[in-house]
Amino acid sequence: MCYWVGTKKVIKSMEKRFKKEPDNEIAKLFHETFVGDNVAQFMEYYVAIGKDKPMLTTLIKEEGKLVFRNMQWTLPYTYVDAKANTSITRELLNTPVEKVFQQHKKLIMKQHCLVPIDGYFEIHYFNGETYPYFIYPSK
């Protein structure tokens, strides 16, 4: 997961998709969950930052069915400290793709989710300066 994400335009995008494709399973479920019956609150952020551990709306499979759930942004990581001969668990807020399967294979294979976002920020460094760059799907 990226460290900075935006979700401000997701409701509008999903409603557009639902109007275009009313039989689309995810668009229909989104509409029923957040718009039609207004049963749940979609967690809407201009920018959600991982270190704040915000609640994000996710799509998960629960008892064989797709459902939207609001979940806290964290990823548990347990490792063995060889010097102390103990297991240590800590929360990760971001994991590079190069390490995600090495560190979280069991979670990825059994407990993954989708997070509907508008886009995400990557940080670029140039001449000692930091520049946020927002990456989003084209229309």
Side-chain angles (χ1 to χ4, degrees):
M1 175 178 277
C2 291
Y3 198 70
W4 295 273
V5 298
T7 63
K8 200 69 174 163
K9 297 177 184 174
V10 171
I11 291 176
K12 194 175 180 180
S13 297
M14 291 302 289
E15 276 303 289
K16 255 190 205 176
R17 175 168 282 176
F18 179 68
K19 286 177 184 172
K20 259 176 130 173
E21 307 170 47
D23 293 330
N24 178 293
E25 182 183 8
I26 293 174
K28 186 176 180 180
L29 178 62
F30 189 92
H31 180 80
E32 290 168 359
T33 306
F34 300 108
V35 182
D37 296 333
N38 205 12
V39 176
Q41 178 188 5
F42 180 79
M43 303 310 288
E44 196 172 45
Y45 299 95
Y46 178 68
V47 178
I49 301 172
K51 70 180 178 181
D52 296 334
K53 297 187 214 169
M55 295 293 284
L56 291 175
T57 299
T58 61
L59 181 64
I60 63 171
K61 201 171 223 181
E62 200 171 78
E63 298 178 10
K65 291 183 173 184
L66 289 175
V67 293
F68 283 100
R69 292 280 183 257
N70 294 328
M71 302 171 78
Q72 189 175 30
W73 182 339
T74 56
L75 187 60
Y77 176 58
T78 303
Y79 64 95
V80 176
D81 183 342
K83 291 180 185 176
N85 197 25
T86 59
S87 288
I88 298 171
T89 300
R90 64 185 185 119
E91 292 177 336
L92 293 179
L93 304 175
N94 195 15
T95 299
V97 71
E98 297 84 10
K99 293 182 180 180
V100 73
F101 279 97
Q102 174 190 358
Q103 293 175 339
H104 312 289
K105 187 174 183 174
K106 288 179 186 173
L107 288 175
I108 290 171
M109 300 309 258
K110 296 187 183 218
Q111 293 180 288
H112 48 275
C113 67
L114 293 175
V115 182
I117 61 173
D118 304 327
Y120 61 94
F121 287 91
E122 283 291 331
I123 300 301
H124 293 271
Y125 303 97
F126 182 72
N127 289 338
E129 296 289 324
T130 303
Y131 298 92
Y133 186 74
F134 191 65
I135 299 169
Y136 57 93
S138 62
K139 303 281 177 201

